[in-house]
Amino acid sequence: QVQLVESGGGVVGAGGSLRLSCVSSGSRFFFHLNEVEWYRQAPGKQRELVASITAGGSPTYADSVNGRSTISRDNAKTTVELQMDSLTPEDTGVYFCCLTRHCGQGTQVTVSS
């Protein structure tokens, strides 16, 4: 059974950085074969796909974070990380990762102005 656990969220001032981590349990082979996505859910807003990384390691970013975020994966550790820099209050929300239909509970990111 696949379980995803996110960490790395917190409270940071505008302009700061955070490094979010998503660790997958279960089949390492299954992890290797699939894309992983990071979403965020802000109060009153639709869920937004922030970044994704294919099984081969190709990243994609939403326009809102492009140029100040980096997604990476370590298949040996079944981990995907999202480095976010130059944070603004608009980045506030719950960030969660998904591997196919499996998603974690999320980690809260709060950016103060």
Side-chain angles (χ1 to χ4, degrees):
Q1 185 173 352
V2 176
Q3 289 187 321
L4 301 170
V5 178
E6 303 91 342
S7 62
V11 180
V12 64
S17 299
L18 285 173
R19 190 171 186 86
L20 308 182
S21 180
C22 168
V23 180
S24 173
S25 63
S27 168
R28 185 174 297 177
F29 182 67
F30 182 77
F31 182 88
H32 286 188
L33 291 179
N34 288 286
E35 182 178 30
V36 178
E37 300 167 324
W38 275 101
Y39 292 87
R40 69 183 175 196
Q41 179 71 61
K45 295 184 179 180
Q46 287 189 327
R47 184 178 71 171
E48 178 185 12
L49 175 60
V50 175
S52 62
I53 187 165
T54 67
S58 296
T60 302
Y61 302 98
D63 289 343
S64 57
V65 302
N66 195 25
R68 58 189 185 90
S69 296
T70 303
I71 188 171
S72 60
R73 67 188 294 159
D74 184 335
N75 287 336
K77 297 180 179 179
T78 59
T79 298
V80 172
E81 293 188 327
L82 180 65
Q83 174 71 36
M84 300 188 68
D85 302 315
S86 303
L87 289 164
T88 74
E90 287 68 40
D91 293 314
T92 294
V94 177
Y95 286 70
F96 57 98
C97 60
C98 295
L99 173 65
T100 64
R101 60 182 174 83
H102 308 281
C103 295
Q105 294 296 309
T107 185
Q108 176 70 45
V109 171
T110 302
V111 184
S112 61
S113 56

